[in-house]
């Protein structure tokens, strides 16, 4: 939103989800609204796609059923489930709107900022385990794949083909399909954890609660007061008394008001006689402090004002922002904090309160209010923005997606107020932003675990998108979304375009560091899996230090004993590629007995390898196993795949273009037990597939392998580590917990059916010695457990460097401030300094 007290661009939600969202989340606010600049990585709960996508179910089943004859089309229906068959959702890169076809429309001449329509939850495929090879075997002994006749929905997106204008998406995509196999024995569903009983009502609700979103919200409510409020709001909605059908209209215009303002002479060569002053409200959350600082550095001018709200759950970032505000008199952090929810009424409450604060600050005299998040970045200079707004004082720049201002608009608050007020003629249907909408990837209901409605989220910009910033037909001054952990290079490009590029030898130019743990957070903020890994990484660094050449080989000046908990942990990226974890930790030097603070770089080893000699099938480009799959950006958010026995891993494959094929995926545990196997039918244009097999937990600790086969011949192998836990509830592991967590699943079976019969075919031997060793390891505690953890971590991670954060008795250790990979090394891109004579710090 760019405007005076009236306005801010909000996204609208689809009609199918608006009522439910209002019921659940509007507790003190008239209207539920969705703020497009919320710094959550999730976006609008929203609106109109220009096309209908096609989705087909695809199925994997367990044994052979006979394939269609040549030229005969397979019936497109869900195959029956039987013995051993199981049914799962594959979350893939495609979707289908389950509503009637709508007439396409264009929101504006340049609809880059339009919000796409909601899409229902995606059930793209059903996978089933296989416990035996296909029974038909052609000459040569290699089982044949069945013909691929049906359509499905793996989608292909080429980032490099992004254009400045969003185009309609009306193409039917073809994708992966699964081979039908003969069912064997029924599979019982995995038992779900028992939920805590819901708190009772203080008073029975005065109406019957039947809406599924309201029921869902009630089931998650933690207090009886909250349940009472939800029920009361629902009953108000049911009685049609929650909000008015129409709002009072004081606008003299008919229809939707929109002052048409286009590009003009907005260069800074002729500064305005009376330049406007802007109040920037930064709404941030998470841990990307360096990206926030870089944004602040790009938009700062001593003539403007900066009010920062940090989400109540982001204490690390709040500490960083308080430190930032102490450096500049025109920067303040809100003395209050809220836990805002994407698309929720809390977000509106937060903005209204921020506006009230700004209006009450008599020492801050401002003309325009602009809200930003850490995912925004300027695509024009501050001088150009001031010049443009100075020529259009009194106008309000908000992007509205409704057509009838007399009705409450979906995404509905400032737009509704302004559109029906006497100031409606001051509304400009443009929020001065370009948003990277990729409807096929961003509208998949991936945030249903957060809210009770679907919504669409923009993708992150990447270097191929850079021309879009210069080609926008309408006035635009900010872009969204940018995420340095995905692509810092595009931000470097923008900085070079706006301010002139930094010299090539600038320290840290291509590096990016993001904090994931800070000592004031306390170890209770960590999972046992992460705490185990961070300690193992620290010990990996001490082993690396001990191996460094020293003047006296017999001296112990470079030998250490680890002490205490981690001090800080950062993700480290170089040229937009994840390089590993940087763990800052304490250790006692054996030579001096003094405590020193070191930082260790733990880098992941290569886990994916193609078959040697190469298989004749060459479409598979890469495979990875992890958790926290982000289907929008198509990465694992659990960088480095830090997995423990109670995690549920996902297998991802990236494919090149080619002919339709059937692939077999086999999961093998550290004792060579085949945990799962299934077939995937990959269509010629498929780019990504991913699937989480329903394995029984706990997983056996150790190095697992996932094999990808073509005609039962290995194409590639991916290794991943399930690390044994050294902690339970952040306390050292006791033996009873070790046995429970590290013995693998009951009866050594990860699924109801056994795949033991495939071991000879896949040439996977099972040795009794491996099983006995695994049973012994499952009882380890203390130093023996740590040694086991370190041995496994050392197989998949390398101690690539260690440096001293302060003084050190080890002469071989470099100082971290002089070590390019260290989080303590210079980072001029995001480091802040005093304003120049021109009022800028960039």
């Amino acid at each position: 939103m760019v405007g005076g007290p009236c306005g801010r661009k909000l996204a609208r939600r689809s009609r199918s989800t608006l009522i439910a969202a209002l019921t659940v989340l509007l507790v003190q606010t008239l209207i539920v609204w969705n703020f497009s600049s919320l710094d959550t990585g999730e976006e609008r709960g929203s609106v109109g796609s220009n096309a209908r996508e096609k989705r087909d179910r695809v199925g994997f089943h367990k044994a052979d059923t006979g394939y269609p004859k040549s030229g005969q089309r397979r019936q497109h229906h869900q195959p029956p489930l039987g013995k051993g068959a199981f049914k799962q959702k594959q979350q893939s890169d495609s979707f289908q709107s389950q509503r009637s076809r709508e007439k396409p429309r264009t929101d504006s001449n340049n609809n880059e900022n339009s919000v796409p329509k909601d899409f229902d939850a995606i059930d793209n495929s059903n996978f089933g385990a296989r416990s035996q090879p296909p029974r038909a075997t052609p000459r040569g002994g290699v089982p044949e794949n069945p013909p691929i006749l049906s359509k499905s929905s793996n989608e292909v997106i080429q980032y490099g083909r992004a254009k400045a204008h969003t185009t309609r998406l009306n193409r039917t995509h073809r994708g992966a399909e699964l081979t039908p196999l003969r069912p064997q024995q029924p599979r019982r569903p995995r038992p779900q954890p028992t939920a805590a009983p819901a708190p009772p009502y203080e008073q029975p609700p005065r109406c019957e609660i039947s809406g599924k979103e309201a029921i869902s919200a009630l089931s998650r409510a933690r207090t009886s007061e909250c349940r009472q409020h939800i029920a009361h709001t629902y009953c108000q909605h049911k009685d049609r008394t929650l909000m008015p059908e129409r709002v009072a209209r004081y606008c003299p215009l008919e229809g939707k008001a929109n002052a048409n303002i286009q590009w003009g002479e907005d260069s800074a060569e002729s500064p305005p006689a009376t330049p406007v002053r802007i109040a920037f409200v930064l709404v941030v959350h998470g841990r990307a402090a360096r990206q926030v600082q870089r944004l602040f550095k790009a938009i700062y001018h001593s003539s403007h004002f900066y009010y920062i709200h940090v989400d109540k759950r982001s204490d690390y970032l709040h500490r960083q922002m308080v430190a930032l505000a102490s450096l500049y008199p025109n920067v303040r952090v809100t003395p209050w904090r809220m836990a805002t929810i994407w698309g929720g009424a809390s977000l509106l409450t937060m903005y209204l309160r921020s506006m009230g604060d700004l209006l009450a600050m008599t020492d801050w005299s401002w003309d325009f209010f602009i809200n930003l998040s850490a995912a925004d970045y300027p695509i024009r200079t501050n001088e150009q923005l001031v010049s443009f707004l100075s020529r259009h004082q009194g106008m309000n720049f908000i992007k509205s997606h409704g057509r009838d201002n007399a009705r409450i608009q979906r995404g509905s608050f400032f737009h509704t107020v302004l559109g029906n007020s006497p100031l409606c003629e001051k509304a400009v249907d443009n929020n001065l932003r370009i948003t990277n909408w990729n409807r096929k990837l961003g509208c998949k209901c991936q945030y249903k675990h957060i809210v009770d409605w679907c919504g669409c989220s923009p993708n992150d910009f990447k270097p191929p998108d850079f021309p879009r910033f210069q080609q926008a037909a309408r006035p635009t001054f900010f872009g969204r979304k940018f995420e340095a952990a995905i692509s810092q290079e595009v931000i470097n490009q923008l900085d070079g375009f706006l301010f002139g590029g930094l010299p090539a030898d600038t320290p840290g130019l291509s590096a990016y560091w993001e904090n994931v743990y800070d000592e004031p957070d306390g170890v209770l903020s960590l999972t046992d899996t992460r705490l185990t890994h961070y300690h193992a990484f620290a010990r990996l660094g001490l082993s690396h230090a001990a191996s460094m050449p020293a003047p006296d080989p017999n001296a112990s000046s470079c030998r250490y004993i680890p002490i205490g908990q981690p001090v800080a942990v950062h993700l480290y990226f170089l040229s937009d590629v994840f390089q590993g974890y940087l763990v800052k930790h304490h250790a006692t030097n054996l030579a001096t007995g003094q405590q020193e603070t070191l930082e260790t770089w733990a880098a992941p080893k290569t886990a994916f390898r193609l078959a040697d000699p190469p298989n004749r099938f060459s479409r598979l480009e890469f495979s990875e196993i992890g958790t926290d799959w982000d289907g929008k950006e198509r990465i694992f958010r659990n960088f480095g795949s830090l997995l423990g026995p109670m995690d549920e891993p996902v297998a991802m494959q990236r494919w090149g273009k080619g002919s339709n094929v059937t692939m077999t995926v086999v999961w093998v545990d550290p004792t060579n037990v085949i945990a799962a196997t299934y077939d995937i039918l990959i269509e010629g244009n498929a780019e990504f597939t991913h699937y989480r097999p329903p394995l029984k937990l706990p997983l056996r600790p150790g190095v697992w392998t996932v094999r990808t086969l073509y005609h039962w011949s290995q194409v590639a192998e991916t290794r991943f580590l399930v690390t044994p836990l050294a902690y339970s509830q952040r306390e050292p592991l006791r033996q009873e917990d070790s046995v429970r967590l590290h013995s693998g699943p009951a009866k050594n079976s990860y699924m109801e059916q056994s795949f033991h019969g495939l071991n000879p075919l896949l040439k996977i031997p099972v040795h009794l010695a491996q099983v006995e060793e695994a049973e012994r390891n499952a009882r380890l505690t203390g130093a023996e457990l740590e040694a086991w953890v370190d041995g496994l971590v050392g197989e998949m991670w390398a101690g690539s460097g260690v440096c001293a954060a302060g003084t050190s008795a080890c002469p071989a250790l470099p100082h971290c401030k002089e070590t390019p990979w260290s989080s303590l090394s210079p980072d001029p891109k995001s480091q802040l300094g005093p304003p120049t004579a021109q009022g800028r710090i960039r």
Side-chain angles (χ1 to χ4, degrees), residues 584-629:
K584 189 178 176 185
H585 55 100
H586 300 307
T588 299
N589 189 292
L590 289 179
T592 65
Q594 298 297 312
Q595 175 178 303
E596 297 181 12
T597 302
L598 311 177
E599 186 170 47
T600 290
W601 173 15
K605 295 181 180 179
T606 301
F608 171 77
R609 64 183 180 186
L610 294 170
D612 187 18
N615 193 291
R616 61 189 177 92
F617 174 79
S618 59
R619 281 191 61 192
L620 182 62
E621 296 178 343
F622 183 67
S623 180
E624 185 178 6
I625 315 299
T627 60
D628 301 336
W629 172 255

Side-chain angles (χ1 to χ4, degrees), residues 12 44 57 97 277 486 642 710 766:
R12 64 186 179 112
R44 317 168 199 259
R57 289 183 181 267
S97 174
R277 305 182 78 182
I486 300 298
L642 307 186
Y710 176 64
V766 178

Side-chain angles (χ1 to χ4, degrees), residues 283-358:
V283 180
V284 296
H285 93 297
R287 307 188 73 93
R290 300 198 189 206
Q291 185 170 343
V292 177
Q293 290 169 191
R294 193 166 182 181
L295 166 66
F296 176 79
K297 190 173 183 178
I299 64 172
Y300 181 83
H301 194 279
S302 56
S303 297
H304 305 310
F305 308 99
Y306 303 85
Y307 200 41
I308 304 174
H309 175 270
V310 184
D311 190 274
K312 190 175 183 179
R313 297 157 292 192
S314 300
D315 290 339
Y316 165 78
L317 190 58
H318 184 257
R319 294 192 295 270
Q320 301 298 310
M321 295 301 101
V322 169
L324 181 153
S326 68
L327 302 176
Y328 306 95
N330 56 338
V331 180
R332 295 173 185 169
V333 176
T334 61
W336 48 270
R337 295 164 64 193
M338 295 179 60
T340 56
I341 299 175
W342 167 71
S346 58
L347 196 58
L348 175 59
T349 302
M350 181 275 299
Y351 270 105
L352 291 174
R353 188 169 179 181
S354 297
M355 290 176 171
D357 288 355
L358 287 171

Side-chain angles (χ1 to χ4, degrees), residues 123-145:
D123 180 4
N124 182 58
S125 63
N126 297 289
F127 282 68
R130 75 184 293 168
S131 61
Q132 57 185 347
R135 108 191 120 169
T137 303
R139 184 175 301 174
V142 179
E144 286 189 340
N145 294 320

Side-chain angles (χ1 to χ4, degrees), residues 51 230 352 599 625-626 664 772 825:
I230 293 171
L352 291 174
E599 186 170 47
I625 315 299
T664 300
E772 292 176 344
S825 63

